[in-house]
Amino acid sequence: MTAMLEKAANGTARVVRIVGQMAAWLGLALVLLVAFNVLSRYALGISSVATQEAEWHLMAAGALLGMSYGLNQGGEVRVDVLYDKFSPELKATIDIIAAAMLMLASIFIVWLSISYVNQSYSIGEISPDPGGLRYRFLLKALIPIAFVLLALQALSMMLESIVRRVHLKQPLANPDKH
C-alpha cells in the first residue's frame, strides 16, 4: 500500500518538476527581452508596447508555473516556532492536513478561474493598449493550469506525509538488529 502511495507521490512531483524546469527558462527569456527593450529604446530610440507587455506576460507565466515548483523544491517559507517541538507523528499529521487544505484551495481556484478564462476567450480579449498583445486569454489560461500543478504538488506532499505517518506507526521488524 505505501509503495503505491510513494509511487503516486513521486509521479505527481515529477510532473511538477518537469513543468517547473521548463518554466525556469522563462526567466532567461525575460532577462533577454528586458535587455532588448532597454537597448532598443535607448540606443535606437525604438519602443514597442507589445514587447513591453510581453515582459509582464513572461513574468506572470514564470510566477504562476514556478509556484508549484518552488514548493516541490522546498523553497517555501515555514514558520517553525512550534512545529520543531512536535513529535514526528504530529508533524506528519499537520503536514497531511496542510497539504489537503492546499489541494482543496487550489482546486477551488481552478474551478473559479475556468469561467474567467472562458469569458476572456469568448470575447477575444486583447490588450487595451494600441500595439499591445493579442490573445490575452492565453495568459489567463495559465491560472487554472498553474493551480492544477499546485494541487498536484499538494497531493504529492500529502501522500508523502501519509507514508511517513504510516511508517511511524509500524514497529521495527526486528528491533534487536537496529
Side-chain angles (χ1 to χ4, degrees):
M1 170 79 171
T2 58
M4 185 175 70
L5 292 177
E6 285 180 285
K7 188 174 182 177
N10 291 335
T12 55
R14 188 177 316 112
V15 169
V16 170
R17 212 170 22 258
I18 289 168
V19 172
Q21 289 167 347
M22 291 187 317
W25 287 99
L26 294 174
L28 176 62
L30 178 60
V31 168
L32 294 174
L33 182 60
V34 169
F36 171 78
N37 283 340
V38 169
L39 290 174
S40 65
R41 185 178 316 129
Y42 293 108
L44 305 174
I46 300 170
S47 182
S48 164
V49 172
T51 57
Q52 289 174 2
E53 284 185 3
E55 289 177 9
W56 69 264
H57 282 230
L58 285 173
M59 185 173 65
L64 282 167
L65 296 173
M67 68 181 171
S68 56
Y69 181 67
L71 192 57
N72 180 282
Q73 297 298 301
E76 76 277 9
V77 175
R78 292 184 70 138
V79 180
D80 292 342
V81 175
L82 299 175
Y83 185 86
D84 280 344
K85 295 173 178 53
F86 294 155
S87 69
E89 293 87 359
L90 182 56
K91 286 180 182 180
T93 303
I94 290 170
D95 291 343
I96 291 166
I97 294 167
M101 290 173 62
L102 176 60
M103 186 171 61
L104 291 174
S106 297
I107 291 168
F108 183 65
I109 292 170
V110 169
W111 179 73
L112 288 176
S113 65
I114 296 293
S115 62
Y116 180 67
V117 175
N118 282 336
Q119 180 184 18
S120 178
Y121 175 75
S122 67
I123 65 171
E125 187 176 8
I126 62 171
S127 171
D129 298 321
L133 294 175
R134 305 183 67 74
Y135 312 115
R136 185 160 285 178
F137 66 89
L138 292 174
L139 179 63
K140 290 182 176 184
L142 289 177
I143 296 169
I145 292 169
F147 281 92
V148 164
L149 288 170
L150 190 59
L152 284 174
Q153 180 57 37
L155 174 63
S156 174
M157 294 168 66
M158 186 174 70
L159 294 175
E160 289 171 359
S161 297
I162 289 169
V163 168
R164 193 170 72 245
R165 183 74 171 99
V166 168
H167 285 306
L168 289 170
K169 285 181 129 181
Q170 294 175 349
L172 295 174
N174 188 350
D176 294 333
K177 284 189 170 185
H178 299 286

